[in-house]
Amino acid sequence: MANANKMRTLSIVSDLRTSRARLLEMFTDTTCDPEIMKNATDTYFSLLQGFIASLDGTKQENKLRFMQNFKWTDTLQGNTPSAQQDAIFELVSMAFNVAIWHAKFASRLAGKENVTEVEAKDVHRSLKFAAGIFKHLKEVYIPRLITPAEKGRDLDPRVMDTYMVQCKAEAQEVTIARVIELKHNATLIAALAFETANFYQKADHTLNTLEPECSSKWRNYLQLKQHFYMAYAYCYHGQTLLASDKCGESIKSLQEAEKCYSRAEALCKEYRQTKGPGSTAKPSEQLFFTTLGGLIKITLQKCERENGFIYFHKVPAEVPQLELKASYGLAEPISFEFPAVSEQCTPEVYTTFDLTKGAKAEKAKPKQEEEVKPMKEPDLKPQKDTGCVIS
């Protein structure tokens, strides 16, 4: 019986190593889809949970949790890794990358020509699913780390929060595109745009205490998106005001839309010129960006023309308040939970692990000169630039 349990122990270790390697391969496999990714993550995480969850029926810490040292690089910190001898660090780091994969899958799918309704729903779902992973990690697992995440690292709660809010904002962009396509009323469009702008503003403010060299480029992107969607909100709010015979206020709202749009254009140039981690989108060259500029101009001209012929309203000095709250279409993270412990990980097998054969304790912080080579991602050129980039 003892020999059988030892064989199962060796099998678990082998399966853990194999499933981890497979999951890492999935991150760069262009044929991978959410279903394949789920199967790969469930297999690895269920085995890894055997090194984290209590298997002996008590609430004591799993003795295998601190057996192995893990190293991961970060999205904002180059190739110098952070390391912890903690299976929860591995669990959170791997899950973080799964969330990034879902966000990138959504961006790649949105970059296709002639995106179908089904594909748009997949984009929407993938972004909300990524947001759910970030939320779960931040609330449940990051607090369990023995060594808190270093400032500016991926597991820094501020970085995690920013990714989560940005995913929600980009999911709402899909909703906005849909309601415009279906010609829903201007009030709903304005409210959704206003909520989306607020999401981008919140994400930007979350990063304001990080070092500029690693956050400036990201913040420029968030700021240009905030001003762009404020321009959207003021533009469609102006249409609502005109429909309510408030032509003077409508003109003022459209003028504010012009200012926000101009600010977004300026931030696009600043964003392209700012050095920092991550790829660079070109929002100002996209159809949805240039289309809004034309819409604001045409709508403002119409309001001014109507005011000169019909209303003769005075244009107020104060910009109309955007007291908008969307009742529909708001993106919420999809709830995420790790899979249960694998059936292979039994209490009997658990007792046969020999900790003396585990990795020797290493310092959690690696030497400065030590680097981990990043995984080479496929150079995928989207058929069109979506402007939605999580990197």
Side-chain angles (χ1 to χ4, degrees):
M1 188 67 176
N3 287 336
N5 285 333
K6 286 184 179 180
M7 290 297 293
R8 293 191 189 101
T9 299
L10 294 174
S11 176
I12 289 172
V13 173
S14 175
D15 289 348
L16 189 69
R17 186 180 294 113
T18 302
S19 61
R20 186 180 195 272
R22 171 170 166 73
L23 180 51
L24 291 174
E25 287 176 3
M26 291 299 98
F27 291 149
T28 59
D29 186 346
T30 58
T31 65
C32 183
D33 60 29
E35 184 177 354
I36 295 173
M37 179 57 69
K38 183 180 185 332
N39 290 335
T41 54
D42 283 355
T43 300
Y44 180 60
F45 288 145
S46 65
L47 287 167
L48 186 61
Q49 289 276 47
F51 291 74
I52 297 170
S54 176
L55 300 179
D56 57 5
T58 70
K59 293 184 178 180
Q60 291 185 340
E61 196 75 69
N62 189 320
K63 69 179 182 180
L64 305 178
R65 175 178 167 182
F66 307 105
M67 186 178 179
Q68 178 66 43
N69 193 48
F70 297 95
K71 297 178 184 179
W72 283 90
T73 56
D74 298 83
T75 53
L76 301 179
Q77 303 291 339
N79 296 337
T80 302
S82 53
Q84 291 192 33
Q85 193 153 327
D86 186 350
I88 287 184
F89 176 70
E90 164 70 2
L91 183 80
V92 174
S93 298
M94 186 68 84
F96 176 92
N97 280 276
V98 172
I100 292 291
W101 180 89
H102 279 280
K104 289 191 172 188
F105 175 80
S107 180
R108 189 165 75 243
L109 194 57
K112 292 178 59 179
E113 290 288 354
N114 304 316
V115 176
T116 66
E117 182 178 340
V118 172
E119 288 170 334
K121 287 181 179 179
D122 287 341
V123 171
H124 195 247
R125 177 177 173 76
S126 288
L127 288 166
K128 292 194 297 179
F129 190 72
I133 296 176
F134 291 130
K135 184 174 186 291
H136 186 63
L137 296 180
K138 188 215 168 195
E139 293 178 353
V140 180
Y141 282 89
I142 288 179
R144 292 182 62 186
L145 289 171
I146 299 299
T147 305
E150 296 175 51
K151 184 177 180 180
R153 295 286 183 177
D154 287 342
L155 307 189
D156 182 332
R158 293 165 298 181
V159 175
M160 195 76 69
D161 251 344
T162 304
Y163 274 121
M164 179 186 71
V165 176
Q166 183 177 337
C167 283
K168 289 170 62 177
E170 292 189 348
Q172 283 191 191
E173 290 190 55
V174 179
T175 304
I176 291 171
R178 179 66 174 169
V179 297
I180 291 174
E181 180 185 1
L182 296 181
K183 303 187 186 304
H184 280 272
N185 67 71
T187 302
L188 176 59
I189 297 171
L192 283 171
F194 182 58
E195 299 271 15
T196 303
N198 287 339
F199 273 151
Y200 279 118
Q201 183 181 52
K202 179 182 178 181
D204 173 47
H205 288 174
T206 304
L207 292 178
N208 64 10
T209 55
L210 294 186
E211 295 298 327
E213 57 264 27
C214 67
S215 64
S216 291
K217 189 179 186 69
W218 194 0
R219 292 193 65 191
N220 281 343
Y221 172 78
L222 297 170
Q223 289 165 13
L224 74 86
K225 280 299 190 79
Q226 178 208 341
H227 284 85
F228 176 76
Y229 280 100
M230 284 301 293
Y232 246 123
Y234 277 115
C235 177
Y236 279 92
H237 187 52
Q239 293 182 24
T240 300
L241 291 169
L242 181 60
S244 302
D245 296 325
K246 298 178 180 179
C247 197
E249 292 181 47
S250 176
I251 291 172
K252 190 64 179 179
S253 187
L254 267 299
Q255 289 173 344
E256 188 65 19
E258 274 193 325
K259 290 180 182 178
C260 291
Y261 186 80
S262 295
R263 178 59 181 148
E265 283 186 310
L267 283 166
C268 283
K269 295 178 183 177
E270 190 176 328
Y271 166 69
R272 288 197 298 269
Q273 294 168 358
T274 303
K275 293 183 179 180
S279 54
T280 302
K282 298 178 181 178
S284 60
E285 298 177 11
Q286 296 163 36
L287 182 61
F288 80 90
F289 195 99
T290 55
T291 299
L292 177 60
L295 178 63
I296 293 171
K297 183 178 180 180
I298 291 170
T299 309
L300 178 56
Q301 288 175 347
K302 176 184 177 181
C303 291
E304 290 173 335
R305 190 166 58 249
E306 296 294 305
N307 203 41
F309 278 101
I310 302 172
Y311 295 102
F312 304 103
H313 289 172
K314 182 179 179 180
V315 178
E318 295 293 324
V319 178
Q321 290 295 311
L322 289 175
E323 297 176 351
L324 305 171
K325 187 71 178 175
S327 302
Y328 309 98
L330 293 176
E332 288 298 328
I334 293 174
S335 179
F336 173 79
E337 294 284 345
F338 285 106
V341 178
S342 170
E343 293 180 356
Q344 292 177 253
C345 303
T346 64
E348 292 77 21
V349 173
Y350 174 72
T351 60
T352 63
F353 272 94
D354 185 357
L355 295 181
T356 63
K357 295 183 179 180
K360 292 182 179 180
E362 298 179 44
K363 291 183 179 180
K365 190 174 181 181
K367 297 177 182 178
Q368 284 296 98
E369 66 270 13
E370 183 181 2
E371 287 199 353
V372 172
K373 291 183 179 180
M375 296 174 64
K376 184 172 177 56
E377 296 188 57
D379 185 18
L380 295 173
K381 303 284 186 187
Q383 295 171 20
K384 62 179 181 180
D385 190 352
T386 64
C388 302
V389 176
I390 296 253
S391 55

